[in-house]
Amino acid sequence: MMGSLQILFVLLFSLVLIKCYSQEDFLECLSKYSKSNVEQNVYTPTSPTYSSILEYAQKNPRWVNSSHPNFIASPRKESDIKPIILCAKKLGLQIKIKSGGHDYEGISYRSKSPFVMLDLSNLNKIEINWKKETVWVQTGATLGQLYYAIANKSDVHGFPGGVCFSIGTGGIISGGGIGTMMRKFGVAADNVVDARVMDVNGKILDKKKMKEDLFWAIRGGGGASFGVILAWKLKLVRVPEKVTVFNVYKKLEGNQNLLQKWENIAHQLTDKLLIRVIIQNDGTGKDKYIEVIFQALFLGPVDELIPLLKEKFPEFDLEKKDCFQEPVVDCSNRPCIKKECRETTWIGSVLFFYGRRTNESLEVLLDKSIPTQKNYNKGTSDFVKTPIPESGWKMVQRLFLEEERPQMILEPLGGKLDEISKSEISFPHRKGNLYNIQYLVNWGDNSENVSSQKLAWMRKLYKDMEPYVANSPRTAYLNYRDLDFGSNDEGYSYSKAKIWGEKYFNGNFKRLAKVKSKVDPNNFFRNEQSIPPYQSH
């Protein structure tokens, strides 16, 4: 017994020595390769600011107690990243890239191997060329920072990015970028005109220097498989001075016909109008019911919108006066609010979709505070090619009534998305899809008992939805990443990765793997669902 304890002590002591030695090695290596003291912005678990940087990174704090980075590197200049890559390669450390986004499965800040979290949040410069209507944005900038920079100077420009403005531009754009203006202008990645990427050797490549295939791959294929995306050059879009937003609240029970009508026509409406659907629980106890919110952005004034709605969706009962007055609250007949509407600016619509008032200060777009109340969640996704029958919606209603905080968000495609080929960029979800579904379940107590119950509920919902959604393959959106689809094993096998890779990328997966073979043949940039190099056998 005594001998076993001594062996254990020696092993533990050795591990401590190895850890200290590797820390010194890494920092020493950085000082050798760097001319600008990059090691000053590298933090270890004993550094005072390590915990706060990590906590801010963990937008979904489900993995607070799982493996933490051996180092957090928060470079201040793009050139500072080269020594981090070279030293990580030299010492066998993995690099996980964090641009500031939600990262549903937390793969940018946890790993089974020793790793460096490359935190890009200090790289947030934004330079707008109003004459050419383009913007260079470093990938550590959030969507909120980008939207703020645009709206602070112009009422007639916007960018078709995502709804949640707290996410990083690096992640959302490299994964595609579904948003409220996609039916008019395509997804965010459709509006990328150039990029700066640091490759596995520390070279900075722009569109001219990178192979055409790499520029294709990073627009929808997820950038972290190929290198470090440093900055995007984006095409700004022209938006009207006045746009209109509204929410119409209904109960799911008794309104399945309206939901099915939406399924049939939302993707065919004018591309100036996006009506998405949010399905969630409301009320408690005996009053609990399933709420359906029809939430819309119309790129034009109220006067243009109302006649269109009277023709297509008279059930919404929306009138011009609703857009210039506070909504009526009456809880004697649920839902308490039936409708709310605002004529506003494009940036007002951004605030509205994020649950803010349309006239709120734009400074809210720059908020980077860490939420005091923790929200744990699990998400996944589907694409739908044929309308879901009533039996499907009854199943959803039954399962939703069993759960406390579930949500489904349905976003219609069509419009501009139908006009762009599935292989134009690596984001493939185009013509033939009616809408996309994001599933979420949220909880506030992350004990093993509660979280396993929530995960089991989500997996049951996903399984029960199978007959109603796209199949062969069943498809999904990369930015709502789900490790339940499978993850890379130690061998990073192409044939195993195909199982989840074809869900995200359909027929584009093989081409993505071939790009990977060219730009990173030794698979340095890797994670649980990174694209492995192509193998023909």
Side-chain angles (χ1 to χ4, degrees), residues 31-313:
S31 65
K32 201 181 289 180
Y33 279 103
S34 166
K35 293 172 187 170
S36 59
N37 296 332
V38 65
E39 64 274 18
Q40 288 181 351
N41 298 312
V42 173
Y43 308 95
T44 66
T46 55
S47 307
T49 48
Y50 175 95
S51 296
S52 58
I53 296 171
L54 188 60
E55 191 181 0
Y56 179 72
Q58 293 171 327
K59 294 287 196 299
N60 183 358
R62 255 169 65 199
W63 299 278
V64 161
N65 297 320
S66 63
S67 57
H68 291 331
N70 299 57
F71 305 93
I72 296 175
S74 302
R76 303 255 163 204
K77 301 199 297 285
E78 290 179 0
S79 56
D80 287 348
I81 297 172
K82 181 175 180 175
I84 295 163
I85 291 174
L86 298 180
C87 292
K89 266 166 72 177
K90 191 175 179 181
L91 296 168
L93 289 162
Q94 202 174 351
I95 280 189
K96 293 295 194 91
I97 304 163
K98 181 74 186 169
S99 81
H102 289 171
D103 189 1
Y104 280 23
E105 293 284 17
I107 62 174
S108 61
Y109 49 81
R110 63 190 185 112
S111 175
K112 289 174 183 170
S113 312
F115 75 107
V116 182
M117 184 181 99
L118 181 56
D119 164 34
L120 299 176
S121 59
N122 291 325
L123 299 176
N124 57 13
K125 282 201 188 82
I126 297 168
E127 294 171 0
I128 300 178
N129 185 325
W130 294 107
K131 199 174 178 183
K132 293 186 176 175
E133 297 183 303
T134 58
V135 54
W136 271 108
V137 54
Q138 286 185 308
T139 52
T142 62
L143 275 182
Q145 288 171 309
L146 173 61
Y147 292 163
Y148 178 89
I150 297 167
N152 211 23
K153 293 280 166 63
S154 172
D155 287 334
V156 292
H157 290 91
F159 182 72
V163 167
C164 297
F165 51 72
S166 58
I167 61 181
T169 52
I172 186 172
I173 297 172
S174 69
I178 283 173
T180 59
M181 296 200 292
M182 64 181 171
R183 301 191 66 251
K184 179 72 176 172
F185 301 110
V187 295
D190 290 324
N191 294 276
V192 173
V193 291
D194 201 347
R196 282 199 304 276
V197 181
M198 186 171 287
D199 72 6
V200 71
N201 300 311
K203 284 186 186 165
I204 295 180
L205 312 171
D206 61 10
K207 187 181 173 183
K208 284 179 188 166
K209 289 178 188 167
M210 71 178 94
K211 293 184 173 75
E212 190 180 316
D213 268 2
L214 178 56
F215 187 57
W216 172 86
I218 59 174
R219 291 174 294 155
S225 294
F226 306 101
V228 181
I229 299 174
L230 304 171
W232 302 108
K233 187 181 185 183
L234 307 172
K235 182 173 62 187
L236 296 180
V237 300
R238 287 285 183 119
V239 293
E241 283 185 33
K242 288 181 181 176
V243 305
T244 311
V245 288
F246 67 80
N247 288 330
V248 170
Y249 300 82
K250 302 277 185 184
K251 282 184 178 177
L252 177 56
E253 195 171 358
N255 283 295
Q256 281 101 336
N257 287 348
L258 178 56
L259 193 50
Q260 286 172 296
K261 179 181 179 179
W262 173 90
E263 290 185 89
N264 279 292
I265 68 170
H267 67 289
Q268 296 175 332
L269 297 168
T270 168
D271 61 11
K272 290 162 70 172
L273 178 60
L274 177 133
I275 305 175
R276 69 177 194 160
V277 171
I278 301 168
I279 301 171
Q280 60 191 27
N281 281 356
D282 211 340
T284 54
K286 289 179 184 176
D287 290 335
K288 193 171 177 181
Y289 66 94
I290 308 306
E291 180 178 62
V292 179
I293 306 167
F294 294 89
Q295 185 176 62
L297 167 65
F298 177 68
L299 293 169
V302 178
D303 288 338
E304 277 180 42
L305 172 66
I306 298 299
L308 182 61
L309 289 183
K310 289 213 182 303
E311 180 195 344
K312 302 290 184 185
F313 283 103

Side-chain angles (χ1 to χ4, degrees), residues 266-372:
H267 67 289
Q268 296 175 332
L269 297 168
T270 168
D271 61 11
K272 290 162 70 172
L273 178 60
L274 177 133
I275 305 175
R276 69 177 194 160
V277 171
I278 301 168
I279 301 171
Q280 60 191 27
N281 281 356
D282 211 340
T284 54
K286 289 179 184 176
D287 290 335
K288 193 171 177 181
Y289 66 94
I290 308 306
E291 180 178 62
V292 179
I293 306 167
F294 294 89
Q295 185 176 62
L297 167 65
F298 177 68
L299 293 169
V302 178
D303 288 338
E304 277 180 42
L305 172 66
I306 298 299
L308 182 61
L309 289 183
K310 289 213 182 303
E311 180 195 344
K312 302 290 184 185
F313 283 103
E315 301 89 342
F316 290 170
D317 188 30
L318 204 68
E319 299 174 43
K320 182 176 177 177
K321 65 177 183 182
D322 295 322
C323 305
F324 299 97
Q325 64 185 23
E326 290 301 308
V328 176
V329 181
D330 176 10
C331 289
S332 61
N333 184 15
R334 300 296 181 101
C336 296
I337 298 174
K338 301 291 182 277
K339 52 191 172 175
E340 52 188 331
C341 177
R342 282 286 171 269
E343 187 178 77
T344 183
T345 56
W346 165 71
I347 202 65
S349 77
V350 168
L351 295 167
F352 182 85
F353 269 76
Y354 204 62
R356 306 283 190 161
R357 297 181 71 84
T358 55
N359 59 357
E360 202 162 331
S361 162
L362 296 192
E363 306 302 314
V364 73
L365 296 164
L366 306 176
D367 181 27
K368 281 193 156 190
S369 58
I370 298 167
T372 48

Side-chain angles (χ1 to χ4, degrees), residues 482-497:
D482 185 358
L483 291 182
D484 286 359
F485 299 159
S487 59
N488 286 314
D489 52 19
E490 284 180 23
Y492 285 81
S493 148
Y494 169 76
S495 57
K496 284 185 179 172

Side-chain angles (χ1 to χ4, degrees), residues 428-527:
H429 310 290
R430 308 287 183 175
K431 195 169 184 177
N433 292 293
L434 305 182
Y435 59 93
N436 139 269
I437 303 177
Q438 177 181 190
Y439 308 92
L440 284 166
V441 63
N442 303 278
W443 63 96
D445 169 3
N446 203 35
S447 63
E448 179 60 35
N449 186 34
V450 172
S451 57
S452 58
Q453 182 190 326
K454 303 298 178 186
L455 296 176
W457 180 89
M458 174 60 86
R459 286 164 186 153
K460 177 165 174 48
L461 173 64
Y462 185 76
K463 183 173 177 289
D464 290 355
M465 286 296 293
E466 190 171 2
Y468 307 112
V469 297
N471 55 61
S472 303
R474 187 173 180 179
T475 46
Y477 175 39
L478 180 67
N479 284 348
Y480 304 150
R481 196 187 290 278
D482 185 358
L483 291 182
D484 286 359
F485 299 159
S487 59
N488 286 314
D489 52 19
E490 284 180 23
Y492 285 81
S493 148
Y494 169 76
S495 57
K496 284 185 179 172
K498 270 174 78 174
I499 296 163
W500 49 262
E502 290 184 347
K503 282 179 178 283
Y504 294 134
F505 307 115
N506 298 26
N508 291 337
F509 181 66
K510 185 175 180 180
R511 185 176 167 190
L512 283 165
K514 287 183 172 180
V515 176
K516 173 72 170 179
S517 298
K518 285 183 204 167
V519 301
D520 184 19
N522 296 321
N523 200 26
F524 173 69
F525 291 109
R526 63 193 187 277
N527 59 51

